[in-house]
Amino acid sequence: LAFARLSSMNSRMYHYGFDRTEQRLGRAKDAADRALALQPGLAEAHLALGHYYYWGIRDYDLALAALEEAHALAPSKGEILLANAYVKRRQGDFEAALALLERYRVLSPVDPNAFVGLGETYGTLRRYDEAEQAFEKAVSLQPDDAYPYTELGLVYLRWRGDADEARAILARAPHVENTEPCRVGYQAELLDRDFEGALAKLDECSGSVLEAGTFYEPVDLVRGIVLQVSGNPELAREAFTTALDHLEAKLQNSPDDHRIHAALGLAYAGLDRSEEAVRHGTRAVELYPLAKDALGAPVLMINLALVYTMVGQNEDALSSLDAALSIPSILSTAWLRKDPRWDGLRDMEGFEAMLRKHER
């Protein structure tokens, strides 16, 4: 059991970007193999192998096969259902994921993870009222965990572009030393066009990088974008240059990390280096297509749309946004209507027509 849990933790560290090295991935596989050798009938060992295939090498068919073995050994073990649901989301089968999450909720009615998973999935499907209910339930079950508060704040921004509601829920969140509250907080201020407030929120970030499985953004990169849209080009250029230095060094060690290419696209766009910006933004989408991750890949599509907007390739930007709005994703028309990052598209007749189409 210890080897199984060690394997799952190594896979989790790789997946969430804390250590995206082959050594970390190798440790995950070695520990899973050791657990299976010691106890072939241990459900957690097969679960660990499923985590390795899912979080590590993103082979969803192999992941589901391993999870099926785990489920056969322990049919009432909730965390196996949870892993199955998360793999189904990555495959784009969101309805199957919801069904599994509902089964997990019945098995574990006081586990906030059940409601966090439901909230994330409903939010991606733009079923915002159900997402709100799920995250509120998660908050009530574990009020000292900041994550459901920040996700609920994002729901309000996507649902109605409502910065006041987002601020209110963030004010209820416990203070934690991570970047999620400042990441959501700065976006609420940005949607309200309070640029000084957005910069102040970024100054509160506990680290120098905002990162998760689908993005890696130095705070200087985000600061540069806020400065640029607020009309401070010189300060923006300084921030973009600092971010670019950081990202180019990072790329040397992680040449195929889609998150680094996505961020480089924005940094180069901020410095008016259009060709390099589009090359990196496009490379991010190539490295992480919808076929690889239906849940996370739209983030890269939206990032590329912003790169196109920043370099003035507005038709390409519109096409990318239309594609992201046409599928389950974090993008919403309410967000697009308020976010100043898309101001370069607002005079286009096609922009308003696209928003009306998806609002219908």
Side-chain angles (χ1 to χ4, degrees):
L1 182 60
F3 279 109
R5 295 304 193 193
L6 179 62
S7 172
S8 291
M9 189 55 65
N10 277 304
S11 294
R12 184 187 294 269
M13 288 178 70
Y14 183 89
H15 170 71
Y16 284 105
F18 295 108
D19 183 3
R20 286 233 168 125
T21 61
E22 290 303 311
Q23 291 88 345
R24 180 65 60 185
L25 208 50
R27 290 179 194 173
K29 183 61 162 62
D30 290 346
D33 289 343
R34 181 69 174 145
L36 287 165
L38 287 168
Q39 193 174 342
L42 181 65
E44 287 87 352
H46 294 275
L47 172 63
L49 191 61
H51 284 152
Y52 166 76
Y53 288 131
Y54 162 38
W55 282 331
I57 64 174
R58 295 193 177 277
D59 188 321
Y60 300 133
D61 291 335
L62 287 177
L64 290 175
L67 293 171
E68 187 175 333
E69 291 281 343
H71 181 69
L73 290 163
S76 63
K77 198 166 190 62
E79 62 183 319
I80 299 170
L81 286 176
L82 200 60
N84 259 300
Y86 291 160
V87 173
K88 290 291 185 183
R89 289 197 311 195
R90 303 289 175 176
Q91 290 181 315
D93 193 347
F94 291 94
E95 293 301 328
L98 282 174
L100 287 163
L101 288 165
E102 287 291 354
R103 286 172 59 193
Y104 177 64
R105 181 185 61 80
V106 172
L107 284 172
S108 306
V110 294
D111 183 355
N113 288 316
F115 297 95
V116 167
L118 285 167
E120 292 170 337
T121 309
Y122 282 129
T124 302
L125 292 169
R126 303 185 182 89
R127 293 163 61 173
Y128 297 120
D129 53 344
E130 292 161 290
E132 177 188 37
Q133 294 171 28
F135 283 126
E136 283 284 14
K137 182 64 174 178
V139 164
S140 70
L141 288 170
Q142 193 168 350
D144 59 346
D145 180 5
Y147 182 73
Y149 295 89
T150 57
E151 286 301 297
L152 184 53
L154 287 170
V155 165
Y156 291 134
L157 295 178
R158 293 168 186 152
W159 189 2
R160 296 186 287 263
D162 194 328
D164 287 337
E165 277 195 285
R167 287 191 198 96
I169 191 64
L170 291 175
R172 290 168 48 194
H175 177 74
V176 292
E177 286 298 323
N178 69 39
T179 58
E180 280 300 289
C182 80
R183 182 177 75 88
V184 180
Y186 103 80
Q187 293 187 83
E189 303 306 326
L190 189 62
L191 260 64
D192 253 6
R193 296 178 183 266
D194 181 355
F195 301 118
E196 290 300 320
L199 291 169
K201 287 294 179 184
L202 288 172
D203 288 339
E204 295 175 9
C205 287
S206 59
S208 61
V209 177
L210 309 178
E211 74 173 302
T214 52
F215 60 86
Y216 181 95
E217 297 177 345
V219 171
D220 282 306
L221 173 64
V222 183
R223 185 177 286 110
I225 293 172
V226 175
L227 288 165
Q228 187 179 68
V229 298
S230 66
N232 290 283
E234 292 305 318
L235 289 176
R237 177 169 286 274
E238 290 178 18
F240 284 130
T241 301
T242 302
L244 183 62
D245 291 341
H246 175 108
L247 290 164
E248 286 180 332
K250 186 78 173 174
L251 189 67
Q252 297 300 313
N253 295 321
S254 306
D256 292 326
D257 191 332
H258 56 278
R259 306 172 307 157
I260 309 303
H261 286 282
L264 278 167
L266 296 174
Y268 280 121
L271 294 168
D272 298 319
R273 294 165 63 173
S274 301
E275 184 178 341
E276 292 152 299
V278 172
R279 176 162 54 83
H280 282 286
T282 303
R283 181 60 178 152
V285 172
E286 292 170 349
L287 286 167
Y288 208 73
L290 278 173
K292 181 176 283 191
D293 183 354
L295 181 70
V299 174
L300 285 305
M301 298 165 60
I302 299 162
N303 184 87
L304 179 58
L306 183 54
V307 169
Y308 283 139
T309 302
M310 291 171 71
V311 301
Q313 294 182 212
N314 291 352
E315 291 296 338
D316 291 320
L318 210 60
S319 178
S320 292
L321 291 175
D322 189 44
L325 286 170
S326 300
I327 57 176
S329 79
I330 62 170
L331 190 64
S332 73
T333 55
W335 190 300
L336 285 170
R337 285 196 178 281
K338 295 196 70 175
D339 192 334
R341 288 173 290 192
W342 308 103
D343 283 355
L345 306 179
R346 298 196 192 282
D347 291 337
M348 297 176 66
E349 183 177 335
F351 183 69
E352 181 61 32
M354 178 193 68
L355 293 179
R356 288 199 302 269
K357 177 182 75 171
H358 289 290
E359 285 166 346
R360 285 197 298 272

